[in-house]
């Protein structure tokens, strides 16, 4: 069921970013009218051009270069469009950088969300899907799959900003009638669009494993650094739960449609429920690219743990969402993107 109409738009904040742009593609492909807001500090407009081509759009996607901390700029967008709901991606997202620049993360992520929620309330827009993260959970050293009721306990300023953003939205839902909100806490997004024309484009050396591995595979970086080989896992390297970016994008659209059922405030974990070690992911990418990917073993990093897995039961039962793409497809699509776009969108 498509819930958009000729007169209403879905506002996607951070819609030029990795997950945001893939979600915009799914939205427009399903007939939603979309307006994108992004300050382009970690992205560019090119993904929007590629969305227009992939979706066969006859008109340019409405795009506004606006920072969410600019309250008047946000209000101007709401005045221009009849917005029915919001999918909120816009945020700084590097864990390591957040430790070095915590105030910048609090200012951007928390203040931006406050301004967005204030403006939504002012214009009577009370439907929001929020892009959250598994970093809000307390680290579980027993390796149990994390459910939505798992104890919270962030280990970085980035994680705390995500939790604060969730709390702001939850309190608004509790205080003011008519709000509906879905929090999506996801684990390790990876992959790219199957065409190879859209993918993740890190501005600097990648912080996450798979973009790093793919850049080693194509020769931009020398070797993968494996941090720790003495974890209590099947090969001694850390286990993580990976989800294809297109599965993730489709989950956001499913969540958007659920807002019309008016359930108030809900939380869902998004992941596969299975995990791969670092070495298994390197092997899978080696298979995708057709050659061995070099790596070196380094000491553990502070704060890393053995295993982090998603329990996807609730998303499956309530949303009807399960991942459709496996690790092999994640690596194949990521490699296709890397080959066709060795320098990203530049």
């Amino acid at each position: 069921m498509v819930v958009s109409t000729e007169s209403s738009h879905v506002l996607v904040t951070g819609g030029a970013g990795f997950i945001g742009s893939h979600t915009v593609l799914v939205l427009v492909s399903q007939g939603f009218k979309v307006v994108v807001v992004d300050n382009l500090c970690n992205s560019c407009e090119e993904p929007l051009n590629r969305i227009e081509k992939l979706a066969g759009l006859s008109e340019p996607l409405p795009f506004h270069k606006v920072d969410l901390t600019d309250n008047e700029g946000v209000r101007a967008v709401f005045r221009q469009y009849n917005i029915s709901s919001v999918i909120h991606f816009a945020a700084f997202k590097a864990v390591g950088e957040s430790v070095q620049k915590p105030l910048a993360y609090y200012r951007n992520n928390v203040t931006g969300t406050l301004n967005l929620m204030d403006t939504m309330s002012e214009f009577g827009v009370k439907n929001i899907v929020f892009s959250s993260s598994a970093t809000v959970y307390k680290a579980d050293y027993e390796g149990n799959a994390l459910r939505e009721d798992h104890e919270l306990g962030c280990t970085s300023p980035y994680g705390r900003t995500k939790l604060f953003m969730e709390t702001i939205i939850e309190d608004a839902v509790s205080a003011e009638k008519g709000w509906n909100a879905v929090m999506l806490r996801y684990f390790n997004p990876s992959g790219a669009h199957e065409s190879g024309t859209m993918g993740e484009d890190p501005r600097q050396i990648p912080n996450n494993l798979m973009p790093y591995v793919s850049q080693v595979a194509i020769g931009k970086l020398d070797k993968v650094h494996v941090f720790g080989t003495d974890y209590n896992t099947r090969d001694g390297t850390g286990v993580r739960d990976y989800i294809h970016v297109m599965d993730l994008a489709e989950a956001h659209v499913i969540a958007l449609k659920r807002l019309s059922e008016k359930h108030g405030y809900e939380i869902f974990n998004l992941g596969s429920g299975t995990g791969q070690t670092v070495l298994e992911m390197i092997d899978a990418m080696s298979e995708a690219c057709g050659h061995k990917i070099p790596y070196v073993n380094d000491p553990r990093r502070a704060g890393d743990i053995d295993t982090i897995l998603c329990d996807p039961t609730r998303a499956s039962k309530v949303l009807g969402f399960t991942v459709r793409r496996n690790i092999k497809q994640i690596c194949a699509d990521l490699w296709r993107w890397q080959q066709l776009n060795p320098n990203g969108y530049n």
Side-chain angles (χ1 to χ4, degrees):
M1 177 186 67
V2 174
V3 296
S4 64
T5 69
E6 285 298 310
S7 61
S8 64
H9 284 75
V10 178
L11 173 65
V12 182
T13 73
F18 176 42
I19 303 169
S21 61
H22 286 76
T23 301
V24 170
L25 175 60
V26 176
L27 285 166
V28 298
S29 297
Q30 293 192 22
F32 288 86
K33 297 188 71 175
V34 175
V35 56
V36 174
V37 163
D38 200 303
N39 66 5
L40 302 182
C41 70
N42 286 312
S43 58
C44 63
E45 288 187 57
E46 181 57 24
L48 305 182
N49 297 329
R50 300 192 184 189
I51 289 169
E52 292 167 6
K53 293 178 181 177
L54 286 168
L57 299 183
S58 58
E59 297 179 355
L61 270 171
F63 168 70
H64 296 266
K65 185 180 177 181
V66 174
D67 194 304
L68 293 188
T69 61
D70 174 9
N71 196 36
E72 284 306 309
V74 176
R75 292 180 75 249
V77 174
F78 276 78
R79 280 195 297 266
Q80 185 172 345
Y81 301 91
N82 179 21
I83 295 169
S84 59
S85 50
V86 175
I87 304 181
H88 181 26
F89 291 101
F92 292 161
K93 63 175 185 175
V95 172
E97 183 183 58
S98 77
V99 175
Q100 300 167 353
K101 302 176 181 179
L103 297 184
Y105 270 67
Y106 289 121
R107 183 180 306 109
N108 183 78
N109 295 4
V110 178
T111 302
T113 299
L114 279 171
N115 285 346
L116 175 65
M117 294 295 289
D118 271 341
T119 307
M120 290 177 66
S121 181
E122 177 185 350
F123 286 83
V125 181
K126 296 185 177 181
N127 296 306
I128 184 168
V129 176
F130 175 54
S131 165
S132 192
S133 167
T135 58
V136 302
Y137 291 119
K138 183 177 181 180
D140 190 337
Y141 289 88
E142 296 180 0
N144 297 322
L146 299 176
R147 298 196 313 262
E148 288 80 359
D149 59 358
H150 186 84
E151 184 179 358
L152 304 178
C154 313
T155 58
S156 70
Y158 164 71
R160 279 188 282 275
T161 65
K162 284 291 186 179
L163 184 55
F164 293 163
M165 293 156 84
E166 282 192 14
T167 304
I168 289 167
I169 296 169
E170 182 180 14
D171 287 345
V173 173
S174 299
E176 193 174 333
K177 289 183 178 180
W179 277 94
N180 296 285
V182 176
M183 310 293 103
L184 298 178
R185 294 172 177 167
Y186 36 87
F187 285 64
N188 293 75
S190 192
H193 188 263
E194 62 183 8
S195 67
T197 59
M198 291 177 59
E200 187 170 7
D201 183 15
R203 301 283 94 178
Q204 300 172 337
I205 294 176
N207 291 303
N208 297 325
L209 175 65
M210 293 312 292
Y212 199 104
V213 171
S214 69
Q215 290 194 13
V216 173
I218 206 167
K220 289 188 70 175
L221 297 172
D222 293 334
K223 55 185 175 291
V224 180
H225 294 264
V226 178
F227 296 104
T229 58
D230 59 348
Y231 289 103
N232 184 26
T233 63
R234 49 188 171 268
D235 63 18
T237 62
V239 171
R240 298 295 182 265
D241 190 326
Y242 293 88
I243 181 171
H244 197 292
V245 65
M246 288 304 296
D247 280 326
L248 201 50
E250 290 164 2
H252 282 79
V253 180
I254 292 171
L256 179 69
K257 294 174 182 179
R258 184 165 175 81
L259 293 176
S260 65
E261 300 174 12
K262 303 187 184 306
H263 290 281
Y265 182 85
E266 296 183 295
I267 301 169
F268 298 97
N269 285 345
L270 298 180
S272 68
T274 60
Q276 281 70 40
T277 69
V278 174
L279 294 183
E280 287 168 349
M281 294 304 290
I282 293 173
D283 286 344
M285 196 66 187
S286 294
E287 182 179 348
C289 71
H291 61 82
K292 284 290 184 182
I293 296 174
Y295 66 88
V296 62
N297 295 327
D298 287 342
R300 289 190 185 202
R301 294 177 300 189
D304 279 352
I305 63 174
D306 297 345
T307 300
I308 302 176
L309 287 179
C310 169
D311 183 339
T313 303
R314 188 165 190 271
S316 177
K317 288 184 176 179
V318 179
L319 291 180
F321 169 77
T322 55
V323 298
R324 300 193 296 117
R325 300 162 178 88
N326 58 21
I327 295 300
K328 185 175 182 178
Q329 187 164 354
I330 285 176
C331 292
D333 292 341
L334 178 57
W335 178 237
R336 190 176 301 110
W337 155 257
Q338 188 70 71
Q339 283 185 298
L340 294 175
N341 305 269
N343 298 310
Y345 286 114
N346 293 323

